[in-house]
C-alpha cells in the first residue's frame, strides 16, 4: 500500500512541474496550467482515498463487545464464502465442538478474522482445489482453540513469522495486510494467532481466544 501511495504523489509532482512550466512562459498558457492543476487535485483525491482505506483497515476505535457464539460466526462466514470456494473446487468442512461457551468479542472483527483466514486458504488452493477445514475445540483451561487448515501450496519457506508482517505478500494482487490485521484483532481479544506447516500438503492457522470460563477458573483457584 505504501507503493500504491507513492504513485499519486509522484503524479502530482509531475503535474505541478508541468503547471509551472506553462506559467513561466513569456506568454503563460493559463488553460494548460489550469488543466494541470485539476490533474493535481485528482492525484490528491486518490492519495486521500488510499490513506482512508488504510485507516479503515486499522480502525480500532469503539470495538463493539457483545456475547457471541464463535461457531455461529464460522457457519455464517462459510456460507458467505461457499460460492468462492466452489469456484476453485475447494470443499469446506466444519469440525465444530458442540456446547462451546459464548465469548465477549467484537462480532464484525471476528467475521473479518475468519474471512481473511478462509480467503487465504482458498487462495492457497486456487490452482489445485482441495479441502478447507475449520475446527473449534474447548481447551483444557477453558479457552477456545480454533484452526483453519488447507491442503494448498503451503507456507512460503522459512517465512512462517514474516507472513504476519504488514505488506508481506507473495501474491501479485495482494496487499499483505490480511494476516497483520487478523493477528492484531486476535490479540486485542486477548488471544494468540500462529501458523504451522501441515505434515502433508498445506498450512494450518491456529488461534486461541480466552472465554469467561477461563477467567472464572482463575478466580476459583484463588478461593
Ligand atoms: N493458507 C495459506 N497457505 C499458504 N500461504 C499463506 C496462507 N495464508 C497466507 N499465506 C502467505 O502469507 C502471505 C500474507 O498473507 P496476507 O493475508 O497477510 O496477505 P495476502 O493474502 O498476500 O494479501 P491480501 O490479504 O491483502 O489479499 C500471503 O501472501 C502468503 O504468502
Ligand atoms: Mg490474505
Amino acid at each position: 500500500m505504501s507503493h500504491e501511495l507513492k504513485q499519486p504523489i509522484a503524479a502530482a509532482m509531475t503535474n505541478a512541474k508541468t503547471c509551472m512550466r506553462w506559467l513561466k512562459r513569456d506568454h503563460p498558457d493559463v488553460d494548460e496550467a489550469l488543466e494541470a492543476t485539476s490533474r493535481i487535485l485528482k492525484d490528491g483525491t486518490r492519495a486521500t482515498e488510499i490513506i482512508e482505506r488504510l485507516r479503515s483497515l486499522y480502525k480500532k476505535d469503539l470495538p463493539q463487545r457483545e456475547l457471541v457464539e464463535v461457531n455461529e460466526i464460522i457457519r455464517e462466514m462459510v456460507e458467505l464464502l461457499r460460492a468462492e470456494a466452489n469456484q476453485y473446487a475447494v470443499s469446506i468442512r466444519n469440525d465444530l465442538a458442540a456446547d462451546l461457551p459464548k465469548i465477549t468479542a467484537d462480532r464484525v472483527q471476528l467475521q473479518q478474522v475468519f474471512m481473511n483466514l478462509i480467503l487465504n486458504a482458498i487462495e492457497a488452493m486456487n490452482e489445485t482445489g482441495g479441502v478447507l477445514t475449520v475446527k473449534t475445540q474447548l481447551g483444557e483451561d477453558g479457552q477456545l482453540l480454533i484452526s483453519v487448515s488447507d491442503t494448498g501450496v503451503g507456507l512460503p519457506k522459512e517465512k512462517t513469522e514474516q507472513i504476519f508482517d504488514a505488506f508481506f505478500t507473495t501474491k501479485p494482487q495482494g496487499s499483505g495486510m490480511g494476516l497483520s490485521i487478523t493477528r492484531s484483532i486476535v490479540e486485542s481479544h486477548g488471544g494468540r494467532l500462529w501458523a504451522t506447516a501441515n505434515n502433508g500438503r498445506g498450512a494450518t492457522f491456529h488461534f486461541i481466544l480466552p472465554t469467561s470460563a477461563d477467567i472464572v477458573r482463575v478466580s476459583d483457584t484463588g478461593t
Side-chain angles (χ1 to χ4, degrees), residues 116 120 123 171 178-179:
N116 286 337
N120 277 348
E123 282 160 8
K171 301 171 192 171
L179 285 178

Side-chain angles (χ1 to χ4, degrees), residues 7-17 39-40 43-44:
Q7 209 271 327
I9 292 172
M13 307 272 275
T14 308
N15 284 321
K17 282 181 199 151
R39 287 199 298 272
I40 297 172
D43 297 330

Side-chain angles (χ1 to χ4, degrees), residues 115-117 119-120 123 169 171 174-179:
M115 167 92 94
N116 286 337
L117 295 178
L119 282 178
N120 277 348
E123 282 160 8
T169 183
K171 301 171 192 171
S175 75
M177 295 302 294
L179 285 178

Side-chain angles (χ1 to χ4, degrees), residues 120-121 123-124 150 153-156 163 168-171 174-180 203 205:
N120 277 348
E123 282 160 8
D150 63 66
V153 287
L155 300 170
I163 57 173
F168 178 92
T169 183
T170 54
K171 301 171 192 171
S175 75
M177 295 302 294
L179 285 178
S180 133
F205 285 79

Side-chain angles (χ1 to χ4, degrees), residues 84-93 117-134 148-154 171 198 201-203:
E84 179 81 6
N86 285 343
Q87 190 183 335
Y88 295 105
V90 168
S91 60
I92 304 183
R93 306 225 169 113
L117 295 178
I118 293 173
L119 282 178
N120 277 348
I122 295 173
E123 282 160 8
M125 299 186 279
N126 63 9
E127 289 187 348
T128 52
V131 182
L132 191 170
T133 309
V134 187
V148 176
S149 62
D150 63 66
T151 56
V153 287
K171 301 171 192 171
N198 292 345
R201 290 178 59 78

Side-chain angles (χ1 to χ4, degrees), residues 3-219:
H3 170 77
E4 244 184 281
L5 198 51
K6 274 187 197 146
Q7 209 271 327
I9 292 172
M13 307 272 275
T14 308
N15 284 321
K17 282 181 199 151
T18 309
C19 181
M20 272 169 85
R21 263 206 317 275
W22 290 117
L23 292 175
K24 273 197 205 150
R25 286 181 154 200
D26 288 344
H27 300 284
D29 191 327
V30 176
D31 285 343
E32 289 285 0
L34 271 176
E35 244 177 60
T37 315
S38 89
R39 287 199 298 272
I40 297 172
L41 285 175
K42 277 195 196 134
D43 297 330
T45 310
R46 206 144 51 113
T48 310
E49 280 167 5
I50 293 168
I51 291 168
E52 280 305 314
R53 200 140 46 88
L54 247 189
R55 264 236 300 254
S56 72
L57 285 173
Y58 266 121
K59 199 162 53 187
K60 286 223 200 79
D61 50 352
L62 301 177
Q64 300 292 318
R65 296 288 161 113
E66 54 183 313
L67 268 183
V68 300
E69 245 183 79
V70 169
N71 284 348
E72 184 188 304
I73 294 179
I74 293 171
R75 287 195 197 96
E76 283 168 6
M77 287 323 289
V78 165
E79 268 332 293
L80 201 70
L81 297 170
R82 179 85 63 191
E84 179 81 6
N86 285 343
Q87 190 183 335
Y88 295 105
V90 168
S91 60
I92 304 183
R93 306 225 169 113
N94 284 345
D95 181 2
L96 309 179
D99 304 323
L100 287 182
K102 289 188 178 178
I103 62 166
T104 305
D106 184 310
R107 175 183 295 274
V108 174
Q109 288 189 338
L110 283 192
Q111 287 170 341
Q112 204 179 350
V113 164
F114 286 107
M115 167 92 94
N116 286 337
L117 295 178
I118 293 173
L119 282 178
N120 277 348
I122 295 173
E123 282 160 8
M125 299 186 279
N126 63 9
E127 289 187 348
T128 52
V131 182
L132 191 170
T133 309
V134 187
K135 185 171 177 176
T136 57
Q137 282 171 278
L138 190 58
E140 274 179 17
D141 301 325
Q143 74 285 50
L144 299 191
L145 309 177
I146 305 162
S147 67
V148 176
S149 62
D150 63 66
T151 56
V153 287
L155 300 170
K157 272 206 177 58
E158 329 230 314
K159 297 261 164 65
T160 49
E161 205 34 50
Q162 282 97 314
I163 57 173
F164 294 98
D165 292 346
F167 306 117
F168 178 92
T169 183
T170 54
K171 301 171 192 171
Q173 308 293 333
S175 75
M177 295 302 294
L179 285 178
S180 133
I181 293 166
T182 302
R183 179 175 263 179
S184 81
I185 292 174
V186 170
E187 289 179 352
S188 77
H189 285 79
R192 284 195 301 126
L193 167 73
W194 70 99
T196 56
N198 292 345
N199 287 328
R201 290 178 59 78
T204 300
F205 285 79
H206 311 262
F207 65 103
I208 294 184
L209 288 176
T211 64
S212 47
D214 217 344
I215 297 158
V216 169
R217 190 178 290 251
V218 171
S219 58

